[in-house]
Amino acid sequence: MSLTTHCNEGPRQLPLSTLMLGETTDDGTDEPDPALTAAGKLADTIRTTLGPSGLDKMVVGENGTVIVTNDGSKIIEWIDITHPVGRLVEQAATAQDSAVGDGTTTTVVLVGALLEEAAALRSDGLHPTTIIDGYVRAAETALDHLEQYERSVYSRHDDRLAQIAKTAVTGRWDDTSTERFGELALSALQAVEFDTSRLTLKSYPGGELRESVCLDGVVVDLETSSTSLEALSHPSIQTHDEPTIGMVDAEIGIEEPNHMESVELQDTTQRSAFQAHEQDRRTELIAQVVQSGATVLFCQKSIDEAVRTALVQRGVLPVERTRRDEFDVIARATGSTPVMAVDELTADTTGTVASVTERTVGTSQTLTLQGCPEEQRATLLLRGGTPHVADEVRRIAADCIDVTRVTLDDGAFVPGGGAVPTALAMDLAALSSGIPDRTQLVFEGFGTALEAIPRTLATNAGTDPLNTLTGIKQRHDAGAEAIGVGSDGHPRDMIAAGVLEPSTVFTSALQRAVAVVTQILRVDDIVRTTEDGRSTTNEHDHTHAARGGYPWAVGH
């Protein structure tokens, strides 16, 4: 992708502390701006997407593909990050997204802010180990204090779950669309009793968000199959009530030899006999399927065209080249036992569902299996005007589902809008006055880094971050600890506004940010190696040799 974060290096290898923390170099050059370093540039790229007023990023691929999104995890995924420090931040963001499904942007912003404060502390003469120990202690203290700002969720029917889902919706969506996302996420989770392993998300272009629905059962996308319902002369919408499901995990047709063979036909009689043999074999296959009672046949591989046409004429709907994941889900949900050959297909190996509906969604042909007896399944069928919008709708719905599930699993949420980071920053500032050593400065710097979240939210909303943060702190001093940055950039009660976030998201983001920052602070040098494993710089004369040609770091 064309949006590329990298750090250009000069003719000599500079220490990592110089690259990241803004120290003065040995040759007396000025301090580099931390915002222009690898982690700083990545944080600056991502921070403008944070919050309901965050802007989108247009990412352009080498092949000309244009993607517009405000999802931090996707932006990081598409950016070509070349600097090793930037890759460490990328790994932390990816881990955050995989673990809780949200908070990627928060993680990156915190990393950038913590490194910036570390640079200031280094310039004040603090040693990296002092900063590291102070950051770890400050993080532990902050997480201990976080409990007093948490609210509990005990029921799957708590109305606040819908508010948590809606908080995950950011960007261009209006209030009506945000409400719709929350409704869809909650209804989908309730349909599978909050077991997301039984929920499937499908998105199709050519419609509007309001047309999105949660369907009972499994939706099979025939775009990934060579089967065409139109080619089989089926109407665009047709329902089969209580069909019997047969499943074959192999090709259906005339068996082909597994090595080269040639057949020499002497006369027309032999030719006719050969064709009759093939036809008899096809007839046997068709008879076996019909005898099993299957009215819908799923094949994981291809089906002979003549067999497929004959099955349709006998009232059997054949679906070939079914995706492996969908094939396995159908088998579990319907109680079918996949067989390796049509000859093994019997009534005992078939399953059933309440109905199979053939329909066209946008320009895509689908089958919907509803009323699965063996495993309760649900599919969230999402619509968007264009392929890109449809993908964005799916991504946002997935985020809404993830944060709702995480909240219920953890049983706790916190007010959003930067209310909790502000409260924790104030707590650390109050505690730092009682610390007798220089760790006091680290605690204060850690609190300032936490304030980067409300400052960024206010900036993205177009208001003065200093005035907004001052107003929030004044309200917190008065006991209103749920005050954060509203959608208009001004202080507002986040509980009353329904801006709620899972406690786990912030906890995880803070822990990962501190982990990657302390990892960076512990490294004093980057040593690059050539393919033969030798260092490309002569600044250090080490007797150790890197093996395998991989980059390696040496600590002193």
Side-chain angles (χ1 to χ4, degrees), residues 133-258:
D133 293 341
Y135 272 2
V136 172
R137 287 177 53 188
E140 292 173 348
T141 302
L143 293 178
D144 288 341
H145 280 249
L146 178 64
E147 296 179 359
Q148 67 187 6
Y149 305 113
E150 293 178 340
R151 271 73 168 176
S152 298
V153 173
Y154 302 105
S155 170
R156 294 177 175 178
H157 303 285
D158 194 317
D159 293 338
R160 293 173 298 183
L161 289 176
Q163 295 176 334
I164 291 169
K166 290 186 292 185
T167 302
V169 182
T170 59
R172 67 182 75 89
W173 305 98
D174 55 24
D175 292 341
T176 302
S177 298
T178 301
E179 290 282 346
R180 185 57 178 157
F181 274 118
E183 294 170 358
L184 289 169
L186 205 55
S187 63
L189 285 170
Q190 291 171 345
V192 294
E193 299 178 342
F194 286 78
D195 182 0
T196 54
S197 66
R198 295 188 279 121
L199 176 64
T200 303
L201 273 63
K202 298 276 190 178
S203 60
Y204 295 93
E208 299 180 11
L209 177 63
R210 58 183 176 82
E211 300 176 53
S212 302
V213 294
C214 181
L215 299 175
D216 164 49
V218 181
V219 174
V220 180
D221 189 347
L222 296 182
E223 291 296 310
T224 57
S225 165
S226 64
T227 304
S228 172
L229 298 182
E230 293 180 358
L232 297 176
S233 301
H234 278 271
S236 59
I237 299 180
Q238 178 174 326
T239 300
H240 307 263
D241 294 325
E242 298 184 359
T244 301
I245 308 297
M247 307 190 72
V248 178
D249 197 359
E251 293 184 7
I252 299 177
I254 305 299
E255 296 180 2
E256 297 182 0
N258 55 11

Side-chain angles (χ1 to χ4, degrees), residues 466-544:
L466 180 60
N467 291 340
T468 300
L469 189 58
T470 300
I472 293 175
K473 288 183 175 181
Q474 290 174 345
R475 300 282 293 275
H476 278 232
D477 283 333
E481 297 169 341
I483 300 298
V485 182
S487 58
D488 59 356
H490 298 288
R492 187 176 181 184
D493 189 316
M494 295 291 100
I495 300 295
V499 181
L500 313 177
E501 299 175 347
S503 177
T504 302
V505 170
F506 179 76
T507 300
S508 178
L510 182 59
Q511 290 174 332
R512 295 181 195 282
V514 172
V516 72
V517 168
T518 55
Q519 184 180 16
I520 293 171
L521 295 179
R522 289 184 188 278
V523 179
D524 73 334
D525 195 5
I526 295 178
V527 179
R528 299 187 181 277
T529 62
T530 60
E531 292 185 0
D532 62 359
R534 296 183 179 276
S535 174
T536 58
T537 175
N538 295 323
E539 292 182 13
H540 301 280
D541 184 16
H542 299 290
T543 58
H544 301 82

Side-chain angles (χ1 to χ4, degrees), residues 155-469:
S155 170
R156 294 177 175 178
H157 303 285
D158 194 317
D159 293 338
R160 293 173 298 183
L161 289 176
Q163 295 176 334
I164 291 169
K166 290 186 292 185
T167 302
V169 182
T170 59
R172 67 182 75 89
W173 305 98
D174 55 24
D175 292 341
T176 302
S177 298
T178 301
E179 290 282 346
R180 185 57 178 157
F181 274 118
E183 294 170 358
L184 289 169
L186 205 55
S187 63
L189 285 170
Q190 291 171 345
V192 294
E193 299 178 342
F194 286 78
D195 182 0
T196 54
S197 66
R198 295 188 279 121
L199 176 64
T200 303
L201 273 63
K202 298 276 190 178
S203 60
Y204 295 93
E208 299 180 11
L209 177 63
R210 58 183 176 82
E211 300 176 53
S212 302
V213 294
C214 181
L215 299 175
D216 164 49
V218 181
V219 174
V220 180
D221 189 347
L222 296 182
E223 291 296 310
T224 57
S225 165
S226 64
T227 304
S228 172
L229 298 182
E230 293 180 358
L232 297 176
S233 301
H234 278 271
S236 59
I237 299 180
Q238 178 174 326
T239 300
H240 307 263
D241 294 325
E242 298 184 359
T244 301
I245 308 297
M247 307 190 72
V248 178
D249 197 359
E251 293 184 7
I252 299 177
I254 305 299
E255 296 180 2
E256 297 182 0
N258 55 11
H259 58 277
M260 294 298 295
E261 291 184 357
S262 62
V263 178
E264 184 176 349
L265 302 177
Q266 301 294 334
D267 52 35
T268 57
T269 302
Q270 290 184 348
R271 177 183 176 86
S272 299
F274 184 78
Q275 292 176 338
H277 171 74
E278 289 189 341
Q279 183 58 42
D280 290 343
R281 180 53 184 161
R282 291 189 178 95
T283 301
E284 290 176 5
L285 295 174
I286 296 165
Q288 187 67 35
V289 173
V290 173
Q291 185 177 353
S292 71
T295 52
V296 179
L297 180 65
F298 288 94
C299 181
Q300 209 278 314
K301 298 183 179 179
S302 62
I303 302 176
D304 181 88
E305 183 177 356
V307 172
R308 191 168 70 241
T309 302
L311 287 174
V312 172
Q313 294 172 350
R314 298 291 295 272
V316 179
L317 175 62
V319 181
E320 64 177 355
R321 294 188 175 90
T322 308
R323 271 175 39 185
R324 169 55 66 181
D325 57 338
E326 293 180 342
F327 188 83
D328 294 339
V329 165
I330 294 169
R332 292 197 308 268
T334 64
S336 303
T337 302
V339 297
M340 296 305 298
V342 174
D343 296 331
E344 302 173 13
L345 189 64
T346 65
D348 293 334
T349 63
T350 60
T352 186
V353 291
S355 67
V356 172
T357 303
E358 310 166 29
R359 71 177 70 195
T360 300
V361 181
T363 59
S364 302
Q365 294 176 317
T366 66
L367 291 180
T368 304
L369 286 70
Q370 294 182 287
C372 301
E374 299 299 324
E375 183 179 79
Q376 183 182 4
R377 304 282 312 184
T379 300
L380 194 55
L381 195 64
L382 302 165
R383 307 298 305 279
T386 65
H388 172 68
V389 174
D391 289 341
E392 279 289 287
V393 168
R394 186 186 186 283
R395 189 266 303 172
I396 293 173
D399 287 348
C400 294
I401 290 170
D402 285 341
V403 298
T404 306
R405 177 188 54 81
V406 165
T407 302
L408 193 62
D409 290 344
D410 187 53
F413 67 90
V414 294
V420 168
T422 303
L424 294 177
M426 295 175 66
D427 291 341
L428 291 176
L431 291 171
S432 66
S433 60
I435 300 176
D437 55 27
R438 304 191 74 181
T439 305
Q440 174 184 6
L441 298 177
V442 181
F443 265 57
E444 293 175 351
F446 193 94
T448 302
L450 290 178
E451 292 175 355
I453 301 300
R455 288 199 305 269
T456 300
L457 291 171
T459 300
N460 291 348
T463 58
D464 186 300
L466 180 60
N467 291 340
T468 300
L469 189 58

